[in-house]
Amino acid sequence: ATSADSAFLLDLQRRPETRRFARNPEIPSPAEHESWMRGRLDDPGCVMNVIMHGEVPAGVARLDRLAKGYEVSIAVDPSRFRLGIGGIVLALLHQLAPEADLWAHVQAENTASRVLFERAGYREAEKRDWYCQRALS
């Protein structure tokens, strides 16, 4: 992702389906989004990629460095739900950091994401609403 992707990502973040299970359900203002975007792009511990479906942007996938690995974050454009994009993206993120434990925060009521992460090999962690995929040994 680059700063040129900011408008697409803001549009994605403003969708009710995207905000529904977000940690912060409030829709960001353009200024808040730009500040967040600059912070992510300037963070050497963040890997952020625009998901493409053919030639069309279809979402965003992010790895944020944690002390114990990386936190995974995925948002897929609602018009592309149920196409298998999330599962493919999780496999690709694992390839980006095969040496790291990958963690995902998934709210209890977000059944679709829970199923997605479990199918990708993530297991519930000790901490509520967290799933983990352990690094390859």
Side-chain angles (χ1 to χ4, degrees):
T2 69
S3 58
D5 299 306
S6 186
F8 165 72
L9 296 178
L10 176 58
D11 179 60
L12 182 63
Q13 290 301 319
R14 298 182 105 180
R15 305 260 180 116
E17 299 92 339
T18 304
R19 300 304 327 155
R20 181 175 176 202
F21 295 114
R23 283 189 190 144
N24 176 3
E26 298 298 318
I27 295 174
S29 70
E32 290 167 332
H33 175 74
E34 287 301 321
S35 176
W36 173 86
M37 186 81 176
R38 275 193 310 277
R40 296 294 83 215
L41 292 174
D42 291 343
D43 182 351
C46 176
V47 177
M48 183 166 53
N49 291 282
V50 172
I51 301 166
M52 300 297 291
H53 185 235
E55 300 295 318
V56 179
V60 63
R62 214 174 65 240
L63 293 176
D64 290 300
R65 189 78 170 132
L66 301 170
K68 57 187 176 183
Y70 287 93
E71 181 176 355
V72 174
S73 178
I74 299 174
V76 175
D77 185 317
S79 70
R80 291 187 168 64
F81 281 179
R82 295 177 185 77
L83 297 178
I85 293 170
I88 293 166
V89 169
L90 286 177
L92 291 171
L93 289 175
H94 181 70
Q95 289 177 21
L96 282 176
E99 77 295 344
D101 289 348
L102 300 181
W103 297 84
H105 183 265
V106 183
Q107 292 182 13
E109 58 275 9
N110 191 346
T111 305
S113 286
R114 287 184 174 274
V115 169
L116 170 71
F117 281 94
E118 288 171 2
R119 284 184 181 160
Y122 286 69
R123 298 294 169 245
E124 281 190 271
E126 311 77 40
K127 196 173 176 184
R128 185 176 184 272
D129 293 340
W130 282 90
Y131 280 73
C132 181
Q133 182 181 53
R134 296 288 177 199
L136 297 175
S137 300

